[in-house]
């Protein structure tokens, strides 16, 4: 790849070895390695700026080299981390380069971006393994092992020494092949990280995983997220209200960044920009036909406000519930109009989409121009497009900067 600087966590690895590691990495790991810019004791980290870039751009703006942090530099970064009660929808932008995000935290943050608000309580309860309505640092760190164990099942075969080096970069310690979570007899059907987290946190209560939390805590360096949630001494506990606010703020911040990159200081983005965002990372082969269809049917630009923009992506995070509602309308076998669409969205999600927003969506996806949407025209495409960087990027004709969205449930091919 030629992008990485020499990193020698154990004093033995050379540059060629490190560049070769990309061949052994999964698509998720490759993306994290491309956008990460920091290294501490062999482990790679993103800055908050790197994370924002990774979820709003196809590639890093500049070729990156991993900058090695000293212990003193890391401590200084962590000392400047605000507590969770000072969080806001500008947290990542305010921190910018002054923060460190590990690979497992990167996966966790991606999960957050595609969860409906109703799922925030489920997420909190998954971490709250003792059921005391508070999450402590030890409970949160179970996440590290759960994601690592899932990843071991998906590892690409090859040189075990290089795989061990890659694990060091991603997880901060050499992992053994011994199973921590019970895996014998489990099916290996690919699951989302969200589903894995939901299943495995319950299992952790009855395994030695929770017992190993002390070992995990002592072997890993603190990060910006850990200090933000649990304080500089790691003794604070996270309640649901703060957890909910963090998740909601993160979703809002990413959407604000995406919206502002199109709006050029105005209060709206064009309907065409909105269409670009929705069509990106889909399997639609001829996206230009969708854009042309919309231009012909919405000749005068009215614009999409941020509130409309945000409400639509909140709706997409509820796409599964919406799909169920549509099945009740027998949507899978027939088309529906705009009024039925708005009613189903409200019933499934509690969100009221504006008439102009719904009309714009229909004008984009109603390819046969019958003022109806079929399952294939909308649900099939939208289920496919919720992806930030885990599928092969397929460029479409650009009229402005494009961004992407997170594919729900983080499935990769």
């Amino acid at each position: 790849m030629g992008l990485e600087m020499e990193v020698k966590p154990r004093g033995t690895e050379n540059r060629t070895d490190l560049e070769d590691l990309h061949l052994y990495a999964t698509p998720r790991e490759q993306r994290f390695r491309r956008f990460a810019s920091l290294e501490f004791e062999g482990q790679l980290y993103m800055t908050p700026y790197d994370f924002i870039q990774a979820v709003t751009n196809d590639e890093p703006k500049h070729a990156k080299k991993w900058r090695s942090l000293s212990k003193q530099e890391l401590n200084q970064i962590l000392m400047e981390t605000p507590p969770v009660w000072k969080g806001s929808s500008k947290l990542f932008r305010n921190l910018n380069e002054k923060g460190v995000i590990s690979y497992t935290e990167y996966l966790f943050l991606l999960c957050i971006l595609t969860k409906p608000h109703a799922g925030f309580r489920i997420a909190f309860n998954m971490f709250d393994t003792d059921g005391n309505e508070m999450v402590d640092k030890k409970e949160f760190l179970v996440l590290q092992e759960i994601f690592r164990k899932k990843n071991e099942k998906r590892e690409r075969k090859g040189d075990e020494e290089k795989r061990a080096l890659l694990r060091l970069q991603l997880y901060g310690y050499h992992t053994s092949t011994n199973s921590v979570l019970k895996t014998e007899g489990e099916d290996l059907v690919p699951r989302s990280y969200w589903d894995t987290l939901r299943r495995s946190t319950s299992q952790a209560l009855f395994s030695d995983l929770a017992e190993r939390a002390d070992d995990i805590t002592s072997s890993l360096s603190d990060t910006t997220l850990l200090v933000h949630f649990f304080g500089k001494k790691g003794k604070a506990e996270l309640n649901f209200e703060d957890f909910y606010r963090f998740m909601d703020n993160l979703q809002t911040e990413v959407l604000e960044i995406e919206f502002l990159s199109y709006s050029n200081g105005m209060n709206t983005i064009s309907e065409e920009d909105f269409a670009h965002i929705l069509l990106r990372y889909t399997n639609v082969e001829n996206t230009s036909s969708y854009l042309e269809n919309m231009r012909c049917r919405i000749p005068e630009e009215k614009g999409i406000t941020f509130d409309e923009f945000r409400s639509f992506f909140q709706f997409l995070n509820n796409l599964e519930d919406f799909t169920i509602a549509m099945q009740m309308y027998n949507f899978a076998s027939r088309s529906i109009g705009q009024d039925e669409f708005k009613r189903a969205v409200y019933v499934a999600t509690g969100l009221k989409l504006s008439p102009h927003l719904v009309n714009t969506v229909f004008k984009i996806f109603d390819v046969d121009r019958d003022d109806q949407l079929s399952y294939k025209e909308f649900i099939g495409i939208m289920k496919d497009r919720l992806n930030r960087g885990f599928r092969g990027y397929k460029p479409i004709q650009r009229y402005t900067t494009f961004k992407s969205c997170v594919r729900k449930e983080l499935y990769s091919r």
Side-chain angles (χ1 to χ4, degrees):
M1 298 294 294
L3 299 182
E4 297 89 353
M5 64 177 269
E6 182 177 1
V7 180
K8 295 185 178 181
R10 294 291 183 267
T12 57
E13 297 83 7
N14 59 47
R15 184 187 180 99
T16 302
D17 287 338
L18 290 165
E19 291 172 351
D20 286 346
L21 294 185
H22 214 64
L23 302 175
Y24 294 89
T26 65
R28 296 183 182 92
E29 294 168 345
Q30 289 174 359
R31 187 164 186 82
F32 180 83
R33 293 176 84 246
R34 280 201 304 274
F35 281 88
S37 62
L38 300 177
E39 174 270 326
F40 177 70
E41 294 185 350
Q43 185 173 1
L44 301 182
Y45 295 93
M46 284 181 168
T47 65
Y49 175 82
D50 294 335
F51 176 77
I52 292 297
Q53 291 297 306
V55 298
T56 57
N57 288 282
D58 306 308
E59 295 292 338
K61 288 185 176 180
H62 308 289
K64 293 204 172 190
K65 293 184 177 181
W66 301 323
R67 180 171 72 86
S68 293
L69 288 176
S70 66
K71 182 67 174 177
Q72 182 178 1
E73 288 174 320
L74 177 61
N75 288 339
Q76 183 59 42
I77 287 174
L78 298 178
M79 284 294 292
E80 297 178 17
T81 302
V84 68
W85 55 271
K86 285 189 176 181
S88 73
S89 61
K90 291 182 171 56
L91 175 67
F92 280 60
R93 283 172 283 187
N94 290 339
L95 288 172
N96 199 10
E97 301 281 0
K98 294 182 178 180
V100 290
I101 298 169
S102 70
Y103 175 61
T104 50
E105 290 170 344
Y106 164 70
L107 296 176
F108 167 64
L109 294 174
L110 289 180
C111 281
I112 287 177
L113 290 178
T114 57
K115 289 301 111 186
H117 285 185
F120 290 1
R121 168 57 78 173
I122 297 172
F124 184 82
N125 290 343
M126 289 192 299
F127 286 113
D128 180 21
T129 55
D130 61 9
N132 70 345
E133 296 294 317
M134 303 290 284
V135 171
D136 59 30
K137 184 177 180 180
K138 185 186 297 186
E139 289 173 320
F140 187 80
L141 282 175
V142 170
L143 169 78
Q144 307 275 349
E145 279 294 292
I146 291 171
F147 281 169
R148 180 184 70 78
K149 290 307 302 178
K150 175 179 175 62
N151 197 66
E152 279 188 0
K153 294 180 184 180
R154 305 171 70 102
E155 282 183 353
R156 294 182 175 178
K157 303 299 182 182
D159 190 317
E160 180 55 34
E161 184 178 347
K162 287 187 171 61
R163 284 299 318 168
L165 256 180
L166 188 58
R167 293 186 204 115
L168 176 64
Q169 286 189 347
L170 298 173
Y171 301 103
Y173 53 92
H174 288 288
T175 56
S176 67
T177 56
N178 294 329
S179 179
V180 176
L181 290 178
K182 188 176 181 181
T183 57
E184 287 188 11
E186 286 186 357
D187 63 76
L188 297 182
V189 175
R191 290 196 185 106
S192 70
Y193 276 94
W194 185 257
D195 190 49
T196 296
L197 181 58
R198 178 172 56 81
R199 293 168 181 264
S200 298
T201 43
S202 298
Q203 188 175 358
L205 290 172
F206 307 100
S207 72
D208 63 341
L209 178 56
E211 296 175 9
R212 288 192 59 213
D214 286 328
D215 295 334
I216 298 169
T217 302
S218 62
S219 65
L220 296 176
S221 300
D222 272 341
T223 63
T224 296
L225 203 57
L226 290 176
V227 173
H228 184 61
F229 283 163
F230 307 109
K232 296 176 175 63
K233 295 182 179 180
K235 302 298 184 182
E237 292 184 320
L238 186 65
N239 61 41
F240 175 68
E241 288 73 23
D242 288 336
F243 185 70
Y244 181 101
R245 191 181 309 111
F246 172 82
M247 296 179 79
D248 185 50
N249 282 337
L250 179 61
Q251 289 187 354
T252 300
E253 181 161 14
V254 170
L255 289 175
E256 282 180 353
I257 291 169
E258 191 161 31
F259 184 87
L260 290 171
S261 70
Y262 288 92
S263 67
N264 298 316
M266 306 300 288
N267 293 326
T268 61
I269 61 173
S270 70
E271 287 81 0
E272 186 169 320
D273 287 341
F274 182 67
H276 280 307
I277 297 171
L278 295 185
L279 291 170
R280 194 121 186 247
Y281 289 110
T282 69
N283 279 340
V284 173
E285 294 298 328
N286 186 14
T287 56
S288 60
S289 65
Y290 285 85
L291 298 174
E292 184 60 32
N293 186 48
M294 187 211 62
R295 291 187 205 108
C296 292
R297 304 184 69 190
I298 308 181
E300 294 185 8
E301 180 179 312
K302 178 181 177 181
I304 303 294
T305 67
F306 178 72
D307 286 342
E308 290 175 319
F309 182 77
R310 185 187 186 198
S311 67
F312 189 79
F313 282 94
Q314 287 176 335
F315 154 63
L316 286 185
N317 285 348
N318 287 273
L319 196 59
E320 288 186 0
D321 291 339
F322 175 76
T323 303
I324 293 172
M326 288 296 87
Q327 290 170 347
M328 296 178 66
Y329 278 112
N330 199 24
F331 182 32
S333 60
R334 74 177 183 88
S335 299
I336 63 170
Q338 294 189 27
D339 288 341
E340 287 178 304
F341 183 88
K342 284 188 292 186
R343 185 162 61 252
V345 170
Y346 180 71
V347 168
T349 69
L351 294 167
K352 291 185 177 181
L353 303 184
S354 73
H356 175 62
L357 180 64
V358 172
N359 181 59
T360 301
V361 171
F362 268 63
K363 294 301 185 285
I364 295 171
F365 293 103
D366 177 22
V367 292
D368 58 10
R369 303 191 180 189
D370 64 352
D371 292 322
Q372 303 275 309
L373 277 188
S374 69
Y375 185 95
K376 181 179 179 181
E377 282 177 323
F378 182 72
I379 294 290
I381 294 174
M382 287 297 95
K383 275 190 172 182
D384 188 57
R385 72 154 299 281
L386 285 169
N387 176 31
R388 284 190 194 269
F390 289 147
R391 287 194 171 179
Y393 160 55
K394 173 174 61 63
I396 62 179
Q397 185 180 0
R398 303 175 79 150
Y399 298 86
T400 183
T401 304
F402 291 177
K403 306 297 177 198
S404 60
C405 191
V406 184
R407 181 177 179 240
K408 192 171 186 179
E409 303 284 349
L410 302 181
Y411 280 107
S412 64
R413 286 179 173 173

